[in-house]
Amino acid sequence: MTDESLDLRFTRFLLESQALKFGDFTLKSGRKSPYFINAGAFNDGGKIARLGEFYAEKIAAEIEAGSLPGDIDTVFGPAYKGIPLAVSTAIALTGGHGMQVGYTFDRKEKKDHGDGGMMVGTQLADGMKVLLVDDVMTAGTAVREVVPKLKAEADVQIVGLVLSVDRMEKTKDSDLSAVKAVEAEFGFPVMAIANVREIFEAGRSIMTADGTPYVTDGIAAAADAYLAQYGA
């Protein structure tokens, strides 16, 4: 077992998977960002299995800390990007942490034949404890779409949301971060495997093949400037 912190190991995984990119990117919000986290880079079995293990490790740590309950019934991932996250996390929780937990995801359109319905996987029932997983939250739009869908299916208890990365940016209409805004609106905790400040700090100590750090002084300065403008 390594003594390295979760955020350091996760940052190394992001870099090795080429999921963390540096440059000039226009986000969905319209903001110009010097870094981008691309969930599409987790495009094979090995990477998505490893990603699920990181989610499971974070969830297990939060259960131990008392932030999440230990009797989660199902892990829910919103279609489409959340589907492999929910499946791989449920597998990792069961295989690596001894938790018997289901996975659930939604259909974009309701199926009117076969088993029908809006949900695939573990079907929701009143009183079930549901944990949401998603990749990177910018404005919280996906959460606001998903919560009514879940509540329309059954009177479930949403116990939290686990993200891969917290970008730590304030929303367009407040000084709260998207994470804090969702927590305030819905009343469940939102946590991330790592936040951008942890990732950039870790990236300074992770070296490329030629011995230079992934996060150079220039990259760090651009990130600091961006967070000074948009950070919460």
Side-chain angles (χ1 to χ4, degrees):
M1 180 69 178
T2 179
D3 290 330
E4 290 183 341
S5 64
L6 176 59
D7 53 89
L8 178 60
R9 288 182 283 114
F10 186 60
T11 301
R12 183 179 290 112
F13 171 65
L14 290 176
L15 292 166
E16 289 174 350
S17 303
Q18 298 186 353
L20 174 58
K21 298 282 192 180
F22 307 113
D24 185 17
F25 304 95
T26 301
L27 305 179
K28 189 191 301 185
S29 62
R31 294 172 179 172
K32 301 284 188 180
S33 173
Y35 52 90
F36 181 67
I37 293 131
N38 177 23
F42 307 117
N43 55 9
D44 63 39
K47 291 173 187 171
I48 198 64
R50 189 77 184 96
L51 182 60
E53 290 168 1
F54 278 112
Y55 273 89
E57 182 178 348
K58 178 64 177 177
I59 291 163
E62 295 295 342
I63 290 172
E64 186 175 350
S67 302
L68 291 174
D71 55 348
I72 296 164
D73 292 298
T74 192
V75 179
F76 179 89
Y80 291 101
K81 288 190 295 182
I83 295 173
L85 298 181
V87 174
S88 62
T89 300
I91 291 171
L93 285 171
T94 300
H97 299 273
M99 292 178 60
Q100 293 300 314
V101 59
Y103 71 84
T104 309
F105 59 89
D106 58 325
R107 291 185 170 99
K108 288 294 187 181
E109 295 179 1
K110 189 170 184 177
K111 186 178 176 185
D112 58 5
H113 59 280
D115 56 355
M118 283 294 295
M119 299 295 165
V120 180
T122 299
Q123 296 300 298
L124 304 180
D126 290 354
M128 287 178 65
K129 293 179 181 177
V130 178
L131 177 65
L132 310 182
V133 290
D134 208 349
D135 56 354
V136 180
M137 181 191 294
T138 302
T141 304
V143 178
R144 293 181 178 89
E145 292 174 350
V146 157
V147 169
K149 284 185 179 181
L150 295 175
K151 292 294 189 180
E153 286 290 314
D155 185 19
V156 299
Q157 178 187 354
I158 300 172
V159 297
L161 165 62
V162 180
L163 307 169
S164 59
V165 177
D166 178 4
R167 287 187 61 101
M168 303 179 75
E169 294 179 32
K170 59 189 174 186
T171 61
K172 285 188 173 182
D173 52 1
S174 80
D175 288 330
L176 289 175
S177 70
V179 163
K180 294 301 182 186
V182 165
E183 287 183 332
E185 183 174 345
F186 294 105
F188 53 72
V190 181
M191 51 211 72
I193 299 170
N195 65 52
V196 289
R197 294 194 186 280
E198 291 170 335
I199 286 170
F200 275 91
E201 182 63 29
R204 284 181 168 276
S205 64
I206 300 172
M207 302 299 162
T208 64
D210 62 7
T212 58
Y214 274 98
V215 175
T216 62
D217 289 344
I219 290 173
D224 286 342
Y226 180 80
L227 287 171
Q229 182 175 4
Y230 296 116

